[in-house]
Each structure stands twice: as C-alpha cells, then as structure tokens.
Amino acid sequence: MDYTDIQPLVNAFQRKLVSTSLEFKRYLHQQINWETRLLGIKGARGVGKTTMLLQHIKETFDNIDTVFYVSLDNLWFQNHNVEELVEFLYTHGVTHIFFDEVHKYARWTTLLKNIYDSYPDLNIVYTGSAMLAIDNSKSDLSRRQSLCTLQGLSFREYLDYEGVISLPALTLEELLKEHTGYAMEATSHIKVLKYFNQYLEEGYYPYYKEAGRDYLTRMGEVAQLVIDSDISTIEETITYATRQKIKKLLMVVAENVPLTPNISKLSASLGSTRDQTLKMLYWLDRAALLHLLTDKAKDYKHLTGPKKIYLDNTNLMSALGSEISKGTQRETFFANQVGSVATLLMPPKGDFMANNKYLFEVGGAQKTFGQIADLPDSYLAVDNVEVGTGNRIPLWLFGCLY
C-alpha cells in the first residue's frame, strides 16, 4: 500500500475538513476528554457526530499529517483492508485516527480491540449508531474505552445555533431551584415562546438548516435508513420481513402517540410473537426513534412491556404524520429533553418520575397540582408561560439541561 492507494480517502477527508465551520459547537464538544486513547461517540443519525469530529481536528492539529479521518461506510473498503490502512498510517507518522460510522464494519469491536492493543501510542476516536452496545464477552472494550452519547439539539442549543441568545446549561437540580431568575434573565432579551414553538417543529436535528423545506421529508428518509441499515447492522439476524414489521410498528406508534400498548394485540396486528414485538420496540428505543416509558429501569437483556410509548422527539411527530396533540407534544418534549440527562420512569401518579425522586406533571398554562397535590418533590412543567414561580416551572426551561 502507498499514498496513491489512499488518495481517495485523503481527498474526502480534506474536502470535509475545509467545509467544516467552527462557529457553533455542540454541548458535548467541551465535555469530552479528547486525550482518551480509545474514545467512542454514539448517537442518532443527523445529530452532528461527524461535524464534531471534524471541528476537533480542525481546531486541534497544526500538522494535519499526524491525523486521519475516514468513514467506514466508504466504498473504498469494498476492496481494501482497514487493518492495512491503519498499519500504513501509523508507520507514516499518524498519531490520531478518527473512524466514522464504525458500525458499518462487520467486526468493529474486534477491530478496535486489536488496534488498541497493537498500537499503544495511537489515539483512536470513533462514532457509531445510537444502538451501539459494548458486549464484554465479545471484545471487552468497556475497560479500554470512554463512551459518550451525543443527543440532538436541546432548545438551549437551538437558540445559540440560530444566533438568538447564548444561555448557560443547567443541571436538573439547578433548574428546580433557580428557574425563576434564569427565566427572567432570558425573557428580558428574547420572546422565548416564539422560538420554543419553532424548535418543537424543526429544531432537534442540526441539518434542519441545510434541508430547509425538505426537512420533514429528510427525517422520514433517515428513519427508514436507521431501520434498513443501522438496526440491521447491529442486530445481525434481522430479515427483510422483520424490517418491514419494524417500519409498520413505528408507524402504528406514530399514529397513536402516546401509545399505552397492549403487547398481545400489537403483536397480532404485526403478525409477530410477543417476544419479537418487545425486541422491535426496544430496538426502536435504542435507535432513538421511540421513547419507551417504563415503571422500572430499562433492562435490554430482560425486556418488559412499556407503560407508555412516545416518538423520540417532537420533530419526528411532524415527519411521521402524527396527529399532533398539544398535550402529546408537550410530554414528548419533556421526555426527550429530561430523559437525556436523567432516568425517567412512569410513576403511579403524575406523568414522569426523574431520578427516582422528582415527580412531574406536564400541561398547559392552567395546569394545577390536583393530581400530584401534597406529594413530595412534585413539580408542574407548564407550557405558554415565560416565567414560573415556586414549583410551577415553564416547560421551555426543560430544554436548557444540556
């Protein structure tokens, strides 16, 4: 192998790097320890994993000859070997390799383990599907790597991305205690509810800017690609018939959110068994297309029926043709944003329990504490309100947690 062999990859890398803007960086960019020798970043399609890699490369490396970026879904790998590429790059002075779309490589866990063990002074960063899971019995990557998850844009990030205002992120505890002052400061500068309604329609995936009017169509196409490609890549036993059932299941949920599922009836409508239906639901949850709300912590090895099913985010509600109920939209937003930073469960009373402590009821401006009155650590998340007071918190603020 020589430089002429890898020239197509070099050209692709350089073109991507030149076109990468440093103006806006995702929340995770500053939180990551980029010095970790094996770093994994997973996330849904379209949330900005590739851009984040390229931004880090562009602002960090003065000598571009010491770093290399490549996507493992590149057709170059149809007749070339990843291991040979790594050996060539390493022996020619490359110290950092960034692998994009690593799940596209059939033996990705073994590949990463072998590279890590064979090149002790080589730094490896990789990205992959939101479905990526590390199975210790196969590769024991867990003790070697640091694994991070990149979510879609928060409402706070959307405001920054649009150039409206830069707000600091809050922890959940800070939000509960300091929401009034935070909201007063923000609303003294902007009409926050106007932008909040825009975000609910088109602000979760960063590519909404370049897609423009085609954004909803593109989201639908991405959802199909996740099922046809990403899920099938991670779960190798999935057949064409199963993929069709997964697509049907997604649309059944989309047309009935929030769905309180009867797994037996759902299975019958899909022509599948109960176990297969549960597997498909949890695949869609891991793939960041659905949000399964359970009354106990999720265990992907011992699947139980969810109590309520939402689409992953409010943008998907529009893209997949849901009849958008304002109440469902509010709950979907809350589940998506708070569920990104806390464990959410279905409580006996109220809508959501966060971190087994904080109880929330979600509703409009007239919402009262009736259903959760006198319960400890209980809060209202209310829409169409700019500034709250006490345990009554504006819904939009829950989009400022990352």
Side-chain angles (χ1 to χ4, degrees):
M1 179 177 287
D2 57 33
Y3 278 111
T4 59
D5 292 316
I6 69 168
Q7 196 61 49
L9 300 182
V10 173
N11 293 342
F13 171 29
Q14 291 177 347
R15 282 194 295 269
K16 283 180 175 289
L17 200 61
V18 167
S19 63
T20 298
S21 169
L22 297 176
E23 288 185 9
F24 171 79
K25 298 186 183 73
R26 296 300 315 281
Y27 72 97
L28 193 61
H29 192 107
Q30 301 302 325
Q31 297 177 9
I32 287 177
N33 178 11
W34 293 99
E35 298 304 314
T36 301
R37 197 158 76 79
L38 179 57
L39 171 64
I41 303 168
K42 67 176 185 174
R45 277 184 178 267
V47 296
K49 302 184 297 296
T50 300
T51 298
M52 190 166 69
L53 291 192
L54 294 166
Q55 286 177 330
H56 173 68
I57 293 171
K58 194 168 186 174
E59 71 176 3
T60 304
F61 296 91
D62 295 327
N63 183 0
I64 202 65
D65 292 332
T66 64
V67 59
F68 199 81
Y69 161 93
V70 63
S71 178
L72 293 188
D73 65 352
N74 193 300
L75 289 175
W76 189 88
F77 292 104
Q78 294 299 311
N79 56 1
H80 293 85
N81 186 286
V82 179
E83 289 86 345
E84 289 180 352
L85 173 65
V86 172
E87 174 68 14
F88 177 82
L89 294 172
Y90 178 78
T91 56
H92 286 76
V94 170
T95 59
H96 293 73
I97 299 179
F98 293 76
F99 290 118
D100 212 355
E101 302 282 354
V102 72
H103 59 283
K104 295 294 186 179
Y105 189 76
R107 298 179 290 109
W108 69 271
T109 51
T110 303
L111 171 72
L112 293 177
K113 175 185 180 297
N114 289 342
I115 294 174
Y116 181 93
D117 292 342
S118 300
Y119 304 92
D121 54 345
L122 182 64
N123 285 65
I124 308 149
V125 181
Y126 73 88
T127 74
S129 164
M131 291 194 68
L132 288 186
I134 303 304
D135 185 344
N136 291 340
S137 66
K138 291 181 180 178
S139 63
D140 197 20
L141 281 181
S142 59
R143 69 180 178 85
R144 292 173 167 86
Q145 73 164 354
S146 175
L147 184 62
C148 308
T149 301
L150 181 63
Q151 309 291 346
L153 290 173
S154 67
F155 176 52
R156 183 193 70 83
E157 287 185 295
Y158 170 78
L159 292 172
D160 193 6
Y161 193 36
E162 284 288 305
V164 176
I165 192 173
S166 293
L167 298 171
L170 296 166
T171 66
L172 182 58
E173 287 72 20
E174 287 172 340
L175 186 153
L176 298 180
K177 294 177 182 178
E178 304 167 16
H179 65 89
T180 301
Y182 186 97
M184 289 179 67
E185 172 61 21
T187 56
S188 69
H189 298 286
I190 63 169
K191 301 295 184 184
V192 71
L193 298 181
K194 166 192 170 183
Y195 295 104
F196 183 55
N197 289 328
Q198 291 176 1
Y199 168 81
L200 295 176
E201 295 292 332
E202 62 170 26
Y204 188 69
Y205 301 100
Y207 63 80
Y208 75 86
K209 277 194 176 185
E210 65 178 71
R213 294 181 180 179
D214 295 329
Y215 178 57
L216 296 183
T217 301
R218 188 162 162 185
M219 269 196 293
E221 293 170 348
V222 168
Q224 288 205 61
L225 191 58
V226 168
I227 295 170
D228 286 333
S229 179
D230 294 1
I231 293 180
S232 299
T233 301
I234 303 300
E235 302 291 342
E236 298 174 358
T237 60
I238 292 179
T239 63
Y240 173 79
T242 301
R243 292 200 300 271
Q244 297 307 107
K245 289 179 182 179
I246 296 173
K247 291 177 185 178
K248 182 177 180 180
L249 176 58
L250 178 62
M251 294 312 299
V252 168
V253 174
E255 293 169 1
N256 295 277
V257 287
L259 179 64
T260 303
N262 181 316
I263 301 299
S264 297
K265 289 183 178 179
L266 197 54
S267 301
S269 70
L270 295 171
S272 67
T273 64
R274 175 183 174 83
D275 286 347
Q276 186 185 36
T277 300
L278 284 174
K279 284 182 180 179
M280 291 189 293
L281 284 171
Y282 277 84
W283 287 336
L284 289 168
D285 180 83
R286 285 173 53 201
L289 291 175
L290 295 183
H291 183 106
L292 307 185
L293 189 63
T294 57
D295 57 0
K296 297 178 181 178
K298 291 175 188 173
D299 182 350
Y300 291 105
K301 293 183 179 179
H302 304 91
L303 307 182
T304 59
K307 298 302 179 183
K308 193 176 283 189
I309 305 174
Y310 298 92
L311 289 176
D312 178 75
N313 59 79
T314 59
N315 290 190
L316 278 175
M317 295 177 69
S318 300
L320 299 182
S322 302
E323 183 177 339
I324 300 179
S325 150
K326 195 62 181 174
T328 301
Q329 187 183 54
R330 292 164 179 157
E331 291 178 22
T332 301
F333 166 79
F334 185 94
N336 171 264
Q337 297 285 281
V338 180
S340 295
V341 299
T343 300
L344 282 188
L345 298 176
M346 178 86 163
K349 292 184 179 180
D351 293 321
F352 301 98
M353 175 71 76
N355 291 340
N356 289 310
K357 180 177 182 179
Y358 304 112
L359 182 63
F360 294 96
E361 184 80 12
V362 181
Q366 305 306 314
K367 190 72 176 179
T368 69
F369 280 90
Q371 296 184 42
I372 56 174
D374 302 321
L375 294 177
D377 294 307
S378 58
Y379 300 84
L380 294 183
V382 290
D383 197 9
N384 292 318
V385 171
E386 288 189 326
V387 181
T389 182
N391 288 18
R392 187 180 178 85
I393 304 172
L395 181 62
W396 67 265
L397 271 172
F398 291 92
C400 298
L401 294 171
Y402 67 86

